[in-house]
Amino acid sequence: MTTTVEAGPLDVTALRREFPILQQRSHGRRLVYLDSASSSQRPRAVLDAMDHYYETTHANVHRGVYAIAEEATRQFEMARRAVGRFIKAPRPEVEVIFTKNATEALNLVAHSYGRHLLPDRKAILLTELEHHANIVPWLMLAAERGVELRYLPVGDDYRLDLRDLDRLMDGVGLVGVSTMSNVLGTITDLSPIVQAAHAAGAVVVADASQLVPHRSVDVRALGVDFLAFTGHKMLGPTGIGVLWGREELLDAMPPFLGGGEMIRDVRLDGFTPNDLPWKFEAGTPPIAEAVGLHAAIGFLESLGMNRVAAHETDLTSRAIEILMERHGDDLKIFGPTTDLPARGGVLSLAFRDLHAHDLAQVLDAEGICIRAGHHCAKPLMRRLGVTATARASFYVYNGEDDIQALSDALDVAAAFFG
Amino acid sequence: MAGLEDLYREIILDHYRSPRNRGELAVPPAHRVEGFNPLCGDEVVVYLEVNDGVLTDLRIAGQGCSISQSSASMMSAAVKGRPVEQARKLIRSFKAMMSIHEHSLGGEDSTEDPEDQSEADTLKPEDLGELAALQGVVKFPVRIKCATLSWNALAQGLDEIAAGVLPLDRT
Ligand SMILES: Cc1ncc(COP(=O)(O)O)c(C=O)c1O
């Protein structure tokens, strides 16, 4: 796929026309979608690619010898290569594993690596800002194997506090760390963590669900050993996620789920697993979803990830300015407000003493979609001393008019609840 | 399309701004029950004291949205000082009112409690006094759990007291 990358800022007005759902109205108003950190919307190119695949090509992959089956297999494997190239994987064809979502990718590592290759008596180091998807699989493993779990704390600047890194890393066999917080927007400075982990002989599992959609990612530069992300947050379909892992680690790991596709041979008394990456892809995989994800990556590449990042940094900066200027006394932002390139377009807010759900409900009546709740990060919520926040998050189709709409709606909420 | 006024009726906002029976009771003699809303992390704590079959005292603690807080406040005003059997009837009636939508959604509550289905011994919304103001919540299905949070906790508390569970048995 050839892509031409334009220069300059994103043309949000033109971009919006590519997203059918954004042409809709909500409660009679323009739909203002500020919840992409939860799930993004998808452009027509992705929807068309999936429709076209179903209309012309669909058959099961890696099975049939007939033409459309071969074509389906080809498209599925092309998608794998595109995903691998997108994150600069050294060997996309073996190191990229399709899963159902990021959660399944992380569970795969917890199961196949954690239960079989993590040495006895080694601890696991996580951070306080993880999504439940990067905590619960490890809690389950800890309960099963009696592994000790430790947590890197979040500082008052909403970034990871690494002062105790060396002490915490002592005796650790695996580190699980989010590359960008879905609550605070904080982008993790991975290099000191990766260095300390590798010096201690530990592997690093990165949850990049929030980073891959918004930044150019190079797995070799990050230096991590596993990277998990999810299709629906990056303009792709639901039902597909990705695990990237170093080939030698994936090779050494036993399969996760058992069934068709993941075997080379099955006898009545045993089986031989398939080669990578299929060893980890039991059952019929998300084929149309892989085609859709491929189209989403093509769309992002045609925009250019550096322009996407610049757009979101600009928007975040404008949002902080506009909201603080107009509502400063009533508003608290949970997340860094300086060094904006080191944070993503996610703004967790508290407004007056309004509960996040009440705020989100009033905003909904204004046609504005934000997320209210604990964002699947309850340990972080406890650290912040709240049960819920209201969260606005930005993507390529958001512009300053969305921020204005949010700002106006805060006044409506203030008037409504008096 | 349901409007905000359907959800946030004036009486609801009033209970939210000045909640009734807020506070705690000493445990024991009071019984303490917690309710969690996994959706938003809201937490309500109900303290109740039952003497000779009467709910003699009740207090509400915890934090949550206007719907969960006002529902808890209205509940406390409605059941405090009432015989336990009347409180149970109110719980059944309230849950029946709130389950209209959960039935049509096939929500988990629709089969949870066969008791709820018997309409024979429940009050109609129009006989529920100010609690009827919460009826609008059913038009906002995700908020139903907010409204029923404290009621489920109260029901659990009454069950535990009836079963003789001492507060100290639960940590
Ligand atoms: C940081 C982070 N990790 C993991 C996930 C889980 O993604 P999924 O639900 O697609 O598995 C999310 C999404 O909510 C997330 O924000």
Side-chain angles (χ1 to χ4, degrees):
Chain A
M1 189 173 285
T2 54
T3 50
T4 42
V5 180
E6 293 162 37
L10 297 184
D11 180 352
V12 171
T13 314
L15 259 172
R16 271 187 198 152
R17 285 197 287 270
E18 306 279 335
F19 290 78
I21 201 169
L22 299 180
Q23 313 310 313
Q24 266 192 144
R25 297 179 77 75
S26 174
H27 303 284
R29 292 160 187 266
R30 178 171 80 83
L31 181 69
V32 176
Y33 190 73
L34 292 172
D35 197 19
S36 296
S38 181
S39 194
S40 70
Q41 300 300 347
R42 42 247 6 87
R44 198 176 298 283
V46 168
L47 305 173
D48 285 352
M50 293 176 75
D51 276 352
H52 187 252
Y53 166 79
Y54 275 129
E55 284 166 10
T56 62
T57 315
H58 176 70
N60 215 327
V61 291
H62 306 129
R63 288 166 178 75
V65 295
Y66 44 90
I68 56 170
E70 282 189 356
E71 178 58 15
T73 303
R74 193 186 71 81
Q75 290 193 23
F76 182 64
E77 293 302 327
M78 292 282 286
R80 189 190 310 281
R81 282 166 176 74
V83 167
R85 282 195 305 274
F86 191 58
I87 55 169
K88 316 278 192 307
R91 297 202 62 206
E93 66 283 7
V94 294
E95 292 177 336
V96 171
I97 293 151
F98 285 128
T99 61
K100 180 173 70 177
N101 47 34
T103 303
E104 189 183 276
L106 293 164
N107 274 276
L108 192 166
V109 182
H111 193 93
S112 294
Y113 190 90
R115 284 176 181 63
H116 300 279
L117 297 181
L118 181 70
D120 284 338
R121 287 185 297 280
K122 285 284 190 185
I124 291 176
L125 178 62
L126 305 173
T127 85
E128 265 181 356
L129 54 67
E130 298 308 308
H131 186 279
H132 294 166
N134 204 22
I135 301 179
V136 181
W138 308 113
L139 286 171
M140 291 164 78
L141 174 66
E144 225 177 280
R145 287 196 60 193
V147 180
E148 180 198 348
L149 289 190
R150 300 175 191 165
Y151 294 89
L152 272 170
V154 173
D156 291 336
D157 58 354
Y158 302 108
R159 300 191 189 273
L160 288 179
D161 177 351
L162 301 183
R163 281 174 303 182
D164 259 352
L165 181 61
D166 290 337
R167 190 181 58 79
L168 284 168
M169 196 63 84
D170 188 38
V172 163
L174 184 145
V175 177
V177 56
S178 167
T179 53
M180 174 177 147
S181 162
N182 65 314
V183 177
L184 307 172
T186 310
I187 293 180
T188 313
D189 179 11
L190 278 182
S191 62
I193 298 172
V194 169
Q195 267 177 28
H198 287 168
V203 296
V204 179
V205 185
D207 174 3
S209 304
Q210 295 292 342
L211 193 69
V212 169
H214 304 282
R215 300 288 163 121
S216 149
V217 166
D218 180 336
V219 287
R220 289 163 311 183
L222 290 181
V224 298
D225 301 286
F226 297 96
L227 188 92
F229 55 102
T230 197
H232 66 95
K233 293 190 205 281
M234 50 188 291
L235 310 181
T238 57
I240 189 162
V242 176
L243 175 69
W244 170 84
R246 282 186 200 283
E247 184 181 358
E248 63 275 18
L249 292 174
L250 293 174
D251 229 6
M253 287 155 55
F256 173 40
L257 302 173
E261 185 88 6
M262 51 71 71
I263 45 82
R264 184 179 302 142
D265 184 29
V266 179
R267 300 165 305 278
L268 290 180
D269 62 353
F271 74 96
T272 315
N274 203 340
D275 294 331
L276 285 177
W278 310 292
K279 176 169 92 176
F280 292 111
E281 293 179 352
T284 301
I287 311 167
E289 288 75 9
V291 169
L293 182 57
H294 189 175
I297 286 175
F299 191 90
L300 285 170
E301 282 176 334
S302 74
L303 298 178
M305 289 310 288
N306 290 333
R307 290 171 77 220
V308 170
H311 170 73
E312 290 173 16
T313 302
D314 274 2
L315 208 53
T316 307
S317 153
R318 283 300 288 147
I320 293 172
E321 263 168 49
I322 292 172
L323 295 175
M324 290 315 282
E325 190 183 310
R326 191 143 143 213
H327 307 281
D329 295 340
D330 293 331
L331 200 66
K332 181 170 169 61
I333 295 177
F334 298 95
T337 50
T338 56
D339 190 14
L340 298 185
R343 63 117 67 231
V346 171
L347 284 185
S348 266
L349 311 169
F351 182 62
R352 298 186 159 198
D353 57 352
L354 289 191
H355 189 279
H357 265 175
D358 292 319
L359 182 58
Q361 195 87 58
V362 175
L363 264 51
D364 170 60
E366 302 291 306
I368 301 172
C369 313
I370 62 157
R371 174 78 187 268
H374 53 62
H375 318 295
C376 297
K378 289 194 81 170
L380 177 57
M381 290 288 129
R382 287 198 188 96
R383 165 70 182 84
L384 300 174
V386 294
T387 55
T389 72
R391 182 188 71 185
S393 54
F394 314 133
Y395 211 0
V396 294
Y397 33 69
N398 293 119
E400 205 171 305
D401 53 348
D402 295 335
I403 314 280
Q404 284 299 348
L406 172 64
S407 181
D408 293 347
L410 290 180
D411 283 335
V412 175
F416 189 86
F417 287 101
Chain B
M1 182 70 61
L4 282 182
E5 331 57 68
D6 293 316
L7 185 61
Y8 298 112
R9 305 279 297 278
E10 197 44 50
I11 181 85
I12 295 179
L13 292 176
D14 176 60
H15 274 267
Y16 174 51
R17 292 184 189 117
S18 25
R20 327 290 198 259
N21 302 302
R22 249 333 270 172
E24 302 181 358
L25 294 174
V27 181
H31 195 83
R32 178 182 188 276
V33 207
E34 288 176 4
F36 282 102
N37 184 347
L39 177 73
C40 54
D42 281 1
E43 184 188 326
V44 61
V45 187
V46 178
Y47 293 86
L48 56 157
E49 243 182 79
V50 172
N51 291 300
D52 301 327
V54 175
L55 231 175
T56 43
D57 206 355
L58 181 136
R59 291 282 193 284
I60 310 284
Q63 44 184 325
C65 67
S66 59
I67 301 301
S68 71
Q69 294 298 292
S70 59
S71 181
S73 170
M74 288 165 134
M75 174 186 86
S76 73
V79 300
K80 193 169 148 181
R82 299 272 202 114
V84 168
E85 278 326 301
Q86 276 186 31
R88 285 188 185 278
K89 183 169 176 175
L90 260 182
I91 295 172
R92 274 197 305 278
S93 309
F94 185 77
K95 291 199 69 183
M97 179 174 87
M98 299 315 279
S99 68
I100 298 165
H101 225 95
E102 293 190 48
H103 284 295
S104 64
L105 286 175
E108 53 191 82
D109 277 8
S110 54
T111 49
E112 184 184 80
D113 194 352
E115 238 181 30
D116 282 358
Q117 250 99 30
S118 71
E119 278 164 30
D121 200 26
T122 59
L123 298 165
K124 297 207 170 47
E126 53 270 31
D127 299 323
L128 284 176
E130 57 179 36
L131 288 170
L134 284 160
Q135 207 175 357
V137 175
V138 295
K139 296 179 189 158
F140 297 81
V142 291
R143 305 300 294 273
I144 293 175
K145 288 258 185 288
C146 311
T148 53
L149 189 63
S150 53
W151 295 82
N152 287 332
L154 174 62
Q156 184 189 332
L158 292 175
D159 286 349
E160 286 174 356
I161 291 172
V165 179
L166 292 172
L168 295 179
D169 294 347
R170 308 186 320 121
T171 40

